[in-house]
Amino acid sequence: MAEWVTGNVIQVTNWTDSLFSIQVQAPIAAFTAGQYAKLGLEIDGERIQRAYSYVNAPSNPTLEFYLVTVPDGKLSPHLHALQPGMPLEITKDAAGFFVLEEVPDCDTLWMLATGTAIGPYLSILEEGKDLERFQHIVLVHAARFANDLSYLPKMQQLQQRYGDKLRIQTVISRETQVGSLTGRVPALISSGALENAVGLTLNAQTSHVMLCGNPQMVRDTQQCLKEQREMTKHLRRRPGHITSEHYW
C-alpha cells in the first residue's frame, strides 16, 4: 500500500482554459528526476487519485505538476479548482522507470513529448545529473496550439544553460507558428523534417529516443523508428534504442 502524506498548495498557474500547474510543499521522500507521484483528493467520501510526473528537479523542495483538465474527469477539475493554502494528498514515495539510469550511453539523446508529458524531461534537465554521457540532447515538445507550449520559456532558459549541448524544437499540429514545425511527430521523423530542423541525425548507431505522452504518438513513433530507422525497444535484458512511457 502506498503511504500518503498531506501537502499544502502554494500556487496554481492557469496557462490556458484547460492547462494548469500546481506547486505544492509536502514531506515526501527523495525521488529521481523523471519519476511520478500520485495526487489525491477525498471526493464524496472516497480518495480519487491519479499519477502525475514531477516537473521540478528533485533538489527543488517546491513540488510542481503540469496537468490538463478533463471536463468530465473525476479528479482533474477538482485539482484545477484548488487555491493556495488548500490541502492535497500525495504519495510519499515516487515511482516509475522513465529515468536516465535506464537509458544507455549514446551520442544524441532525443526527448520527445506531447502535451503535459514535457514534465519529466524538465525535471531531468533542471537537475542536470548524468547528462555528461550524451554529446547532444534534443528536447521536442509537441502540442495542438502555440498557446499550449506553457513551458517554452523554461525550455529556452535550459537551452541557454546548456548551450550547444541542448537543442529545443516545438511542434504544433493544428496551426502554424514561426519557429515551430507543423504536423505530428512520427510524420516529421519520417520526412526528415525534425532532423533538418535541429541539425542532427536520428539513427540506431548514434541515438537513443525517449518517448512520453499521448499513447497514439508513442505507438506511431515507435513503429516509425522500428520500420525506418531499425531501432528497437530498450529493455534491461535486451538493450535497444527506444525508452517510452504512456502518459495516461
Side-chain angles (χ1 to χ4, degrees):
M1 289 288 292
E3 181 179 352
W4 290 81
V5 297
T6 300
N8 183 59
V9 175
I10 302 172
Q11 182 175 325
V12 178
T13 302
N14 293 301
W15 303 105
T16 68
D17 289 342
S18 60
L19 292 169
F20 65 104
S21 297
I22 298 178
Q23 292 184 335
V24 182
Q25 285 185 337
I28 63 165
F31 70 93
T32 301
Q35 289 190 306
Y36 62 85
K38 289 183 179 180
L39 303 182
L41 290 172
E42 185 169 318
I43 301 171
D44 296 329
E46 177 186 3
R47 179 192 285 138
I48 306 298
Q49 56 184 279
R50 296 289 185 272
Y52 299 100
S53 293
Y54 287 102
V55 175
N56 61 291
S59 56
N60 186 343
T62 299
L63 312 179
E64 186 167 351
F65 303 91
Y66 183 35
L67 299 83
V68 60
T69 301
V70 179
D72 297 325
K74 290 185 177 181
L75 180 61
S76 60
H78 297 277
L79 292 174
H80 200 176
L82 290 173
Q83 298 293 323
M86 290 183 172
L88 174 63
E89 298 297 303
I90 181 172
T91 47
K92 182 176 181 179
D93 296 306
F97 298 98
F98 198 69
V99 296
L100 283 188
E101 65 184 54
E102 298 292 332
V103 174
D105 294 349
C106 64
D107 289 338
T108 304
L109 177 62
W110 297 75
M111 297 175 161
L112 311 183
T114 57
T116 56
I118 191 68
Y121 299 132
L122 297 176
S123 179
I124 289 169
L125 291 168
E126 183 66 29
E127 187 69 357
K129 294 181 178 179
D130 200 27
L131 295 176
E132 65 279 354
R133 297 191 287 125
F134 315 107
Q135 183 177 355
H136 301 291
I137 301 171
V138 180
L139 177 62
V140 177
H141 189 197
R144 295 177 302 168
F145 302 102
N147 284 343
D148 296 335
L149 300 171
S150 310
Y151 283 90
L152 180 57
K154 179 65 174 179
M155 293 168 62
Q156 293 169 335
Q157 289 175 7
L158 288 167
Q159 187 179 38
Q160 291 180 351
R161 169 179 164 184
Y162 286 103
D164 292 339
K165 185 183 184 75
L166 175 64
R167 307 185 189 191
I168 64 173
Q169 182 62 54
T170 54
V171 176
I172 305 298
S173 62
R174 298 191 183 181
E175 64 181 3
T176 58
Q177 174 78 11
V178 175
S180 293
L181 294 174
T182 303
R184 295 186 67 244
V185 170
L188 294 170
I189 292 174
S190 181
S191 68
L194 179 57
E195 292 161 284
N196 290 337
V198 301
L200 292 169
T201 302
L202 200 170
N203 59 43
Q205 290 70 46
T206 64
S207 304
H208 191 91
V209 179
M210 298 180 75
L211 295 170
C212 189
N214 182 317
Q216 191 64 54
M217 182 280 288
V218 172
R219 287 191 293 268
D220 291 348
T221 304
Q222 285 176 329
Q223 191 67 21
C224 171
L225 295 172
K226 177 181 178 181
E227 294 178 353
Q228 300 183 17
R229 308 302 169 97
E230 298 182 344
M231 303 178 84
T232 59
K233 186 174 181 179
H234 178 68
L235 302 171
R236 286 181 175 177
R237 65 180 182 276
R238 189 176 70 247
H241 319 93
I242 306 168
T243 298
S244 63
E245 182 163 272
H246 292 178
Y247 216 61
W248 63 75

